[in-house]
Amino acid sequence: MVPFAGWTLPLHYGQGHLQSHLHTRRHCSLFDVSHMLQTLVYGRDRIRFMESLVVGDIAELKPGQGTLTLLTNEKGGITDDLIVTNTSEDYLYVVSNAACADKDLAILRDRAAQLQATGSDVHLEVSDNALLALQGPSMARVLQTGLSDDLAKLSFMNSITTTVFGVPGCRVTRCGYTGEDGVEISVPAGRAVELAEKLLGVPDVWLAGLAARDSLRLEAGLCLYGNDIDETVTPAEAGLMWTLGKRRRAAMDFPGAAVIMAQVKEKPRRRRVGLTSVGPAIRPHMAILGPEGRPVGTVTSGCPSPCLGKNIAMGYVEAAHSRAGTELTVEVRKKQHPAVITKMPFVPTQYYLAK
């Protein structure tokens, strides 16, 4: 057990990190992610409220559809990355990172108060639900036995409220942080243990902790807030411009729009890239060096890949060195080791897109 964002969380369970990681890729694992902040946004002006804070096109989301979006500041930096779902029940369901929970909630509450003062109809409710993530190729087979709804109709980034293994009022969202087909289940806190035990009653399902969560998300090329993105990084530098809706780009009505769109036009000076190497593992804060030995960037995440049998990492380098296939070096314990800029995801993602 380790401290994380004010919580005590499991680093790994009895099987160990490597076995847990590979089990998730081959079968499925259950992650307790109840440390994430879950917020419900009500009121007829809820979409206008959300779009005043994030870069995404929330208005275009169909009922039950969600999107990854970015909370930005006036300098164009990323305050947090979060998932916003336009539920079928007339509210927005927002899931934010635990490490940013206090900051995010203060921003949401301040903005809601500003809009309420001008007569807007918006109000927030913090959910005390637990959040369980079931991730891996056998997820659908395992979960379907406890659902009356047809999972085959639930596409990636879509959400329904349903009964799961006899527990009513659960929100099942087809998403996750592993690159595998998976769901996150928002479950009334008093019945979370009951639901977890029912899922773990299936031999295919193992518990997994933070260590596997980190290596799985890195293989999938997904950012960790506080490592790979933060308030000093813009969406253009992070390779996350796909989160900006076309309408929002044109309107430039989100925080930091002028800075971000100017970067798009002029091209950012640095870019987030993937790296692979052999030899000693690459870790955060290590220097990335160009051909002449000059520092050209910094590693933000790194670990040995259990699936690939080589080191993988993410970091920022000067734009001139960001093309896939570029050979650089990484400084590990004052020694230089070859590394290659590699396209992400490192391991192909398996997100489910309903036909």
Side-chain angles (χ1 to χ4, degrees):
M1 302 292 286
V2 295
F4 182 86
W7 299 73
T8 300
L9 296 180
L11 190 62
H12 57 79
Y13 293 87
Q15 300 90 356
H17 167 227
L18 179 63
Q19 291 81 1
S20 181
H21 178 111
L22 294 173
H23 185 86
T24 309
R25 289 274 183 250
R26 295 166 183 166
H27 304 282
C28 72
S29 297
L30 183 66
F31 300 78
D32 182 355
V33 291
S34 303
H35 54 294
M36 306 284 276
L37 174 67
Q38 301 175 72
T39 309
L40 315 180
V41 185
Y42 294 90
R44 67 175 179 273
D45 297 311
R46 62 190 181 275
I47 288 174
R48 183 165 67 88
F49 159 79
M50 206 70 222
E51 288 193 349
S52 72
L53 296 171
V54 303
V55 302
D57 192 339
I58 309 304
E60 76 167 359
L61 295 175
K62 295 170 184 160
Q65 186 181 17
T67 186
L68 177 74
T69 191
L70 306 172
L71 203 61
T72 49
N73 61 30
E74 293 301 335
K75 294 180 180 178
I78 300 171
T79 303
D80 197 9
D81 61 320
L82 34 86
I83 291 178
V84 177
T85 300
N86 180 25
T87 73
S88 302
E89 295 88 5
D90 295 326
Y91 63 86
L92 299 177
Y93 170 59
V94 183
V95 180
S96 322
N97 286 302
C100 300
D102 292 344
K103 175 177 71 172
D104 288 4
L105 203 50
I107 291 169
L108 292 170
R109 283 174 171 161
D110 284 352
R111 185 63 180 141
Q114 288 171 12
L115 289 179
Q116 287 162 358
T118 61
S120 293
D121 177 28
V122 61
H123 62 277
L124 309 177
E125 181 183 309
V126 176
S127 172
D128 62 359
N129 276 13
L131 195 61
L132 302 175
L134 189 65
Q135 301 281 303
S138 58
M139 176 283 295
R141 180 178 55 78
V142 169
L143 194 62
Q144 188 62 76
T145 60
L147 279 187
S148 54
D149 292 270
D150 184 3
L151 262 182
K153 294 179 181 176
L154 189 67
S155 194
F156 179 60
M157 293 306 291
N158 281 264
S159 180
I160 53 170
T161 300
T162 185
T163 297
V164 184
F165 284 94
V167 180
C170 293
R171 174 163 295 283
V172 176
T173 306
R174 201 153 196 166
C175 67
Y177 198 44
T178 62
E180 295 297 328
D181 182 21
V183 292
E184 291 185 353
I185 307 168
S186 181
V187 51
R191 302 193 70 178
V193 173
E194 173 192 340
L195 178 56
E197 287 176 343
K198 284 178 177 174
L199 290 167
L200 291 166
V202 181
D204 231 21
V205 183
W206 288 8
L207 279 166
L210 280 179
R213 187 168 161 84
D214 193 50
S215 54
L216 287 159
R217 69 92 192 168
L218 185 51
E219 285 187 343
L222 301 174
C223 295
L224 173 62
Y225 193 88
N227 281 44
D228 310 302
I229 50 176
D230 59 32
E231 294 195 20
T232 69
V233 175
T234 68
E237 293 171 332
L240 294 173
M241 287 302 295
W242 59 269
T243 62
L244 274 73
K246 185 178 178 181
R247 175 178 62 85
R248 303 303 309 281
R249 292 184 191 218
M252 292 183 62
D253 56 354
F254 51 87
V259 176
I260 294 166
M261 296 313 295
Q263 267 197 352
V264 172
K265 190 175 181 181
E266 297 159 10
K267 307 300 182 191
R269 293 178 184 175
R270 60 173 180 165
R271 294 182 184 274
R272 179 172 63 95
V273 296
L275 295 159
T276 53
S277 75
V278 294
I282 306 175
R283 300 294 184 191
H285 311 300
M286 290 179 174
I288 303 169
L289 310 176
E292 67 287 350
R294 179 180 66 83
V296 295
T298 307
V299 175
T300 54
S301 288
C303 71
S305 164
C307 290
L308 302 178
K310 58 185 173 184
N311 303 316
I312 57 172
M314 199 183 289
Y316 286 83
V317 298
E318 294 171 4
H321 300 280
S322 64
R323 187 182 295 275
T326 301
E327 295 182 359
L328 301 171
T329 58
V330 174
E331 194 168 80
V332 185
R333 292 187 290 274
K334 297 185 178 179
K335 291 186 178 178
Q336 294 182 21
H337 297 272
V340 179
I341 301 290
T342 306
K343 284 185 178 179
M344 296 183 286
F346 299 104
V347 173
T349 53
Q350 306 295 332
Y351 303 130
Y352 175 77
L353 302 173
K355 294 180 176 63

